Amino acid sequence: MTDSVDRLRADLVAARFSVTELGVLWGEVAAAALYRGQRIPALRAIDTYRSGPSAGLATLARVFVLGAPAPVGEFGRALPGLTVDGAVELGLVAVEDGLAVPRIDLRPYSFVDALGAGEWWIASDLGELALGHALPEDHVLGVGGASMTLSGLMFQAPVASALDLGTGCGIQALHASRHADRVVATDISDRALELAAFNARLNGVGNIEFRNGSLFSPVAGERFGQIVSNPPFVITPRRDGVPAYEYRDGGMIGDALVEAVVESAARFLASGGVAQLLANWEYRGDGDAFDRVRGWLDTGPAAELDAWVIERDVQDAAEYAETWIRDGGTRPGTAEFDALLAAWLDDFAARGVTSVGFGYVLLRRPEAGAPTLRRLERLHGALGENEAGLGVHLGTAFAAHDWEAGTPDEALLSSRLAAAPDVTEERHFWPGAEGPTAMLLRQGGGFGRTIQAGTALIALVGACDGELTVGAIAAAIADLLEVDAAELTAELLPSVRALIGDGFLVPVA
């Protein structure tokens, strides 16, 4: 098989099978239609390339990305090294009535991380568009919005070992392989592990080990410097007639799967190690879901860990159910859809669930004696600009917390800080007013936070250029405002600490 995969790789390179070239091939209008789940404009666009230098690329796009068959002769010319027989042997296509019929989805995927730009080819099972019907329960998902969110969240500092829990098509393991010496990728699906291993071979990645098993069972007794997981956290009714998709359903009731991962992670993190996972949590009755999440964090082994929980969105119970029923390929307006929606709402009603929150959970085993981080916050809305991913900002934020929490007030006053390069100041005036009615600090990266600040804090941030100490700046501002320096300093210090933790101010060595 290794020789066949090598030949496939060479053919894909020769055909220029890349994100950029596909975009050029079918154009912006067809690309937008594909994003909406419509492939006809793209199929029509590539029909004009059935001969000429882009013929091979058009054929590969037709079969592997759009999920449509192509004449065997055209398909063979697109893969001259692998050949049609080789593609059949690898399980990429089947030959039926003179046509090469796709059996998997294979497409280019591009990204930017702390090491720079990169591109891979990722194989997964055919989607609903190609199948023409709802997904089977053992479907192996390709790269989607959730997986790109998690890869963007990933800390990218070098580690000796990383664990991808529930690897699916292997995309997180591939990302981790760029900064980890060794990666272990687990899944309960043999099919997922087969595709993930194929993707690693196809992209020349050799430091990933694949293991079958549920959650942490395949790595019992081991510890890792990094754990990443897009676990099967989707809340699914436990009843007959409701599909239980392996890629998203962990077989537990409600949000118990997320609770289990959070509570178990402590046993598998090395000192200083970080776990990062996507998650959701139920809002029950009039209660706050974060109260329940705190309970997960403050009991058992998880109480030993730093924790930062970020809620990015909330859906009401009906909207949540509709989202995941459509995700499985069942369309609204059908009797199937209505039956599934009723089952979901019955399940939620049994536990008093009114809505479901989505977000990220970050856990860290702190170094001995380090201050503990407990941060649960809601950050709904747009993010800042994070070209290399949000993970770089999150890693910086953890380091900033450690520095700030370990620096007493006296030492902080003698420290030098600089405003982060992505921070801007914004002032609002009533027409004709001499002074501003509101002053804001905006963060261009990270979570795109906006802080409303008073005159003294705005002046302090503006003066933080890495030259003067915080104490000297506060004293100078007090003198200008004609207020007591000690009182103003005491008032400013908590805000300065918060700005350090959020990345607005950066300690200067």
Side-chain angles (χ1 to χ4, degrees), residues 38 181 183 213 226 305 426 443 467 491 504:
Q38 303 296 330
D181 295 336
V183 181
Q226 184 176 45
L305 303 179
E426 188 175 301
Q443 184 181 55
E467 297 296 328
E491 177 186 331
F504 285 78

Side-chain angles (χ1 to χ4, degrees), residues 416-489:
R416 292 176 293 121
L417 304 176
D422 64 331
V423 172
T424 57
E425 178 187 327
E426 188 175 301
R427 299 190 179 211
H428 296 260
F429 294 79
W430 291 116
E434 292 185 6
T437 57
M439 293 181 289
L440 307 174
L441 294 172
R442 292 193 182 277
Q443 184 181 55
F447 288 101
R449 298 177 190 268
T450 299
I451 306 292
Q452 186 164 348
T455 301
L457 186 59
I458 288 284
L460 184 144
V461 173
C464 283
D465 59 2
E467 297 296 328
L468 297 173
T469 66
V470 174
I473 295 172
I477 294 170
D479 187 52
L480 287 172
L481 298 178
E482 298 181 345
V483 298
D484 182 79
E487 291 182 2
L488 181 64
T489 299

Side-chain angles (χ1 to χ4, degrees), residues 145-460:
S147 54
M148 287 190 287
T149 295
L150 181 57
S151 64
L153 288 174
M154 195 180 296
F155 284 28
Q156 297 167 30
V159 294
S161 60
L163 169 64
D164 178 15
L165 193 72
T167 194
C169 69
I171 186 63
Q172 307 306 331
L174 286 170
H175 277 290
S177 74
R178 285 171 61 86
H179 59 260
D181 295 336
R182 164 181 169 266
V183 181
V184 176
T186 69
D187 208 288
I188 62 170
S189 165
D190 286 332
R191 172 67 174 163
L193 293 171
E194 176 185 337
L195 282 170
F198 173 82
N199 288 330
R201 288 195 299 270
L202 180 59
N203 292 289
V205 177
N207 62 338
I208 306 174
E209 178 186 348
F210 299 93
R211 302 182 192 175
N212 184 287
S214 177
L215 296 180
F216 292 98
S217 60
V219 293
E222 297 181 54
R223 290 186 181 266
F224 298 88
Q226 184 176 45
I227 298 172
V228 293
S229 183
N230 180 12
F233 61 74
V234 175
I235 298 166
T236 306
R238 307 257 72 85
R239 60 184 64 188
D240 293 339
V242 177
Y245 294 104
E246 288 182 350
Y247 72 87
R248 72 182 203 192
D249 178 16
M252 298 186 186
I253 295 173
D255 51 20
L257 187 281
V258 176
E259 179 181 6
V261 174
V262 168
E263 291 182 345
S264 299
R267 294 194 294 272
F268 300 92
L269 282 174
S271 179
V274 175
Q276 301 171 268
L277 61 141
L278 304 184
N280 58 203
W281 33 80
E282 294 181 335
Y283 284 79
R284 299 177 180 175
D286 296 328
D288 188 332
F290 274 7
D291 292 336
R292 298 180 52 252
V293 175
R294 285 189 187 92
W296 304 345
L297 298 170
D298 293 341
T299 57
E304 306 169 2
L305 303 179
D306 292 332
W308 188 359
V309 179
I310 301 162
E311 182 178 84
R312 295 291 295 146
D313 195 10
V314 176
Q315 288 185 321
D316 64 59
E319 185 182 12
Y320 181 91
E322 292 164 15
T323 295
W324 292 109
I325 295 169
R326 289 196 303 269
D327 176 79
T330 303
R331 299 295 93 188
T334 64
E336 279 182 288
F337 188 95
D338 290 346
L340 289 173
L341 181 57
W344 242 280
L345 295 181
D346 286 346
D347 180 63
F348 282 140
R351 292 190 303 283
V353 176
T354 58
S355 56
V356 179
F358 293 82
Y360 326 137
V361 177
L362 290 82
L363 307 170
R364 181 181 64 167
R365 177 170 290 285
E367 305 284 353
T372 301
L373 172 66
R374 272 290 184 278
R375 186 170 186 175
L376 288 80
E377 57 183 335
R378 294 178 169 91
L379 296 172
H380 299 178
L383 294 169
E385 294 294 327
N386 298 282
E387 181 183 13
L390 190 57
V392 174
H393 170 75
L394 293 172
T396 301
F398 266 90
H401 162 267
D402 294 344
W403 185 89
E404 177 272 319
T407 304
D409 285 349
E410 183 177 345
L412 179 56
L413 289 172
S414 63
S415 300
R416 292 176 293 121
L417 304 176
D422 64 331
V423 172
T424 57
E425 178 187 327
E426 188 175 301
R427 299 190 179 211
H428 296 260
F429 294 79
W430 291 116
E434 292 185 6
T437 57
M439 293 181 289
L440 307 174
L441 294 172
R442 292 193 182 277
Q443 184 181 55
F447 288 101
R449 298 177 190 268
T450 299
I451 306 292
Q452 186 164 348
T455 301
L457 186 59
I458 288 284
L460 184 144

Side-chain angles (χ1 to χ4, degrees), residues 91-134:
L92 307 182
V93 297
V95 174
E96 300 175 5
D97 300 325
L99 295 174
V101 180
R103 286 293 178 260
I104 67 163
D105 182 291
L106 176 64
R107 63 183 65 203
Y109 161 76
S110 61
F111 60 91
V112 177
D113 62 15
L115 296 176
E119 187 157 346
W120 293 314
W121 301 287
I122 302 297
S124 61
D125 280 332
L126 293 171
E128 174 200 350
L129 195 64
L131 293 173
H133 55 74

Side-chain angles (χ1 to χ4, degrees), residues 39 43 46 58-71 75 93 99-102 104 126 129-130:
R39 65 177 176 174
L43 284 168
I46 65 176
T59 299
L60 296 179
R62 178 182 184 86
V63 174
F64 290 141
V65 180
L66 302 179
F75 184 72
V93 297
L99 295 174
V101 180
I104 67 163
L126 293 171
L129 195 64

